[in-house]
Amino acid sequence: MRTVLFAIFVFLSWATPVQASPSPEVLRIWNDVKTAYLAGKFDQLDELIEAYQRDDARTKSGSIKAAIVYEVLESTKFLYGTYSYGTLNQMEAQADKWIESYPGSRAARITKAIVMNNRAWNARGEGYANTVTPEQWNAFFVYSRQAKDYLQSVKQGTAADPEWYATMLKVARGLPSSDIDFDALASEALDAHPDYIPIYREIVRTNLPQWGGTRQTLEFWIDRMAKASGTDASYARAYWGAADDFYRDVIFNDTDADWSRVRTGFRAIVHDYPTNWNINIFARLACLAQDKATTKELMERLGNAIDAEAWLYREMPASCREWASEPDPQNPPKMDEFVLVEAYGRDKDGIMQAMVGPMEQPSEAAAVAKAQILAKTYEGVQAYKLIPDPQTGNYKRPIILFRYGVIPYGR
């Protein structure tokens, strides 16, 4: 039974997480933008953004260079060394100087809105929602609404820059729907700028579980991105972002991501931007999707050119390479269907753990009945069915029969 669950809830338990650092190409843009902004060389920034947008300039890996400029202008800490009320004041004062010097600058107005939104999140604080005081919430909504109102007031002369939409979507995520209709804004953004990756990122983040999203809404919007752009490269990039932002190693278990579309999209990305980084990411996702043939192909293509920062854990590339290189059994054992029930509770440290099961049940009805009984005692319960996939030799995504309460992440 442990083997069955090991196969479904991914199949690796790596130990050492890694974090990506910017490439030299991106770091040069960061430093150039920082120098120009702090020195008040606003004409250089306007010319840089306009040139990048006119030429659809991309990095070697396909990132949008104009978007990188705005990433720098959003990072108060990178520009001023700390992220505080005081440095936000400095940042906004500089944005106001930009607007005063170049009243027609779209980038200047967007930068001011970015600072206003950053001020809202600074007022809220970094704690979980249940730790935020009423005073902090009040300040957050006041500043967020100021950012929204400002962006709406400059929309006519600014929304030709796709970052206007990315910024407004970011602001909208923190406001109730009575303030702004996020879905209508997202549709408008995709129609106006179907290839702008930061727009994808904001839509994906708003449809993650911590913002009330579901696997269905996430798939709807990512499919909408692909239709707007006319390519599954957008589909692949969006699920790549969802994996990095939240789902990590359960991206193909806890979402409705269609691996065949992700694979098609990544082949297009790697064709246009054949960097070592992109190939490493593609290989990582192929391994998580349990696509043995594609994983083997990509690991052979990479050879020793493994970029550890592209993987979730330092041990992951070697584990994926070893798994992909294993020969398929000539006479694979018959894989049975399973109907299972698990119940969860908190350990002494308050962490949700499996307390009961997985317990095999004789039928779906029996599993649901058992789960309903356990739900009277445990904080979280689920019943689910596992069905084998003969083509991959693994189990398909679990079919959830019953869910109650809090289910540990990744289950």
Side-chain angles (χ1 to χ4, degrees):
M1 184 58 62
R2 287 177 61 83
T3 303
V4 172
L5 293 177
F6 193 52
I8 266 300
F9 298 117
V10 189
F11 49 90
L12 302 167
S13 58
W14 304 292
T16 312
V18 295
Q19 293 185 345
S21 56
S23 69
E25 182 183 20
V26 170
L27 195 57
R28 280 194 298 273
I29 298 174
W30 284 14
N31 289 328
D32 289 347
V33 173
K34 178 179 180 178
T35 299
Y37 188 76
L38 296 181
K41 296 179 179 179
F42 306 124
D43 56 333
Q44 292 184 11
L45 291 174
D46 281 323
E47 289 170 6
L48 184 66
I49 292 171
E50 289 171 9
Y52 282 164
Q53 290 178 338
R54 181 182 62 248
D55 301 336
D56 189 23
R58 305 284 181 123
T59 66
K60 293 177 181 178
S61 290
S63 296
I64 298 172
K65 288 187 176 181
I68 296 171
V69 175
Y70 283 114
E71 287 175 8
V72 179
L73 296 173
E74 186 176 7
S75 180
T76 307
K77 185 174 182 179
F78 176 72
L79 290 169
Y80 291 96
T82 59
Y83 178 58
S84 66
Y85 182 82
T87 54
L88 284 167
N89 285 341
Q90 290 179 270
M91 180 78 187
E92 188 164 13
Q94 196 73 341
D96 287 337
K97 288 180 184 178
W98 189 354
I99 294 171
E100 183 180 355
S101 301
Y102 298 94
S105 170
R106 296 193 301 253
R109 294 190 287 268
I110 291 169
T111 300
K112 181 176 176 66
I114 287 171
V115 181
M116 296 171 76
N117 189 51
N118 282 351
R119 193 181 295 284
W121 286 98
N122 179 255
R124 178 199 179 279
E126 298 180 353
Y128 289 109
N130 60 1
T131 69
V132 180
T133 67
E135 293 77 14
Q136 287 174 304
W137 278 123
N138 181 64
F140 171 78
F141 286 119
V142 167
Y143 288 134
S144 293
R145 288 177 175 127
Q146 287 176 354
K148 178 205 70 172
D149 291 344
Y150 177 74
L151 280 166
Q152 288 178 331
S153 73
V154 300
K155 180 179 181 180
Q156 184 172 357
T158 313
D161 186 323
E163 191 65 26
W164 182 93
Y165 281 99
T167 305
M168 182 63 103
L169 287 165
K170 191 173 299 181
V171 171
R173 183 165 61 245
L175 290 171
S177 58
S178 57
D179 280 89
I180 187 166
D181 186 333
F182 184 92
D183 288 355
L185 178 65
S187 285
E188 182 183 330
L190 290 173
D191 289 341
H193 304 285
D195 300 312
Y196 195 59
I197 297 171
I199 288 174
Y200 302 170
R201 182 169 59 241
E202 299 309 324
I203 295 172
V204 165
R205 286 176 176 169
T206 302
N207 284 280
L208 294 177
Q210 66 264 48
W211 288 98
T214 66
R215 60 197 305 158
Q216 291 83 13
T217 62
L218 184 65
E219 169 64 16
F220 170 84
W221 280 109
I222 292 180
D223 178 65
R224 173 79 168 78
M225 295 168 199
K227 288 176 179 174
S229 66
T231 171
D232 274 342
S234 300
Y235 188 91
R237 284 193 181 278
Y239 270 115
W240 171 6
D244 285 353
D245 275 356
F246 184 79
Y247 290 101
R248 293 177 61 79
D249 54 359
V250 292
I251 184 65
F252 297 108
N253 297 88
D254 286 10
T255 74
D256 288 338
D258 182 338
W259 167 242
S260 65
R261 294 184 67 184
V262 173
R263 181 176 55 205
T264 298
F266 251 100
R267 291 203 183 281
I269 292 169
V270 168
H271 176 270
D272 292 339
Y273 307 101
T275 61
N276 188 55
W277 174 261
N278 286 343
I279 299 168
N280 271 267
I281 295 291
F282 189 8
R284 180 190 99 195
L285 293 174
C287 186
L288 290 175
Q290 301 185 43
D291 181 341
K292 200 169 189 177
T294 302
T295 304
K296 183 178 181 181
E297 168 203 336
L298 294 168
M299 297 307 288
E300 288 177 350
R301 180 173 176 178
L302 284 168
N304 294 325
I306 296 297
D307 188 334
E309 292 186 341
W311 299 77
L312 297 179
Y313 304 92
R314 297 198 185 280
E315 298 83 1
M316 187 179 182
S319 297
C320 289
R321 188 189 299 276
E322 180 181 359
W323 165 74
S325 299
E326 292 175 353
D328 293 324
Q330 296 299 313
N331 297 300
K334 181 179 182 295
M335 298 173 68
D336 296 321
E337 293 186 1
F338 291 94
V339 180
L340 305 167
V341 174
E342 291 183 1
Y344 313 98
R346 297 185 188 275
D347 63 16
K348 60 183 178 61
D349 296 318
I351 299 172
M352 291 293 289
Q353 302 283 354
M355 298 295 183
V356 176
M359 297 187 299
E360 189 174 354
Q361 300 295 305
S363 67
E364 294 181 21
V368 171
K370 183 66 174 179
Q372 290 172 336
I373 293 171
L374 291 172
K376 298 176 182 178
T377 305
Y378 292 93
E379 192 171 346
V381 178
Q382 69 175 345
Y384 55 94
K385 184 175 184 179
L386 301 180
I387 299 176
D389 184 348
Q391 292 185 334
T392 65
N394 295 303
Y395 283 84
K396 299 178 181 179
R397 181 183 295 118
I399 299 173
I400 303 301
L401 306 173
F402 175 91
R403 260 190 178 170
Y404 165 79
V406 179
I407 306 299
Y409 171 64
R411 302 304 289 176

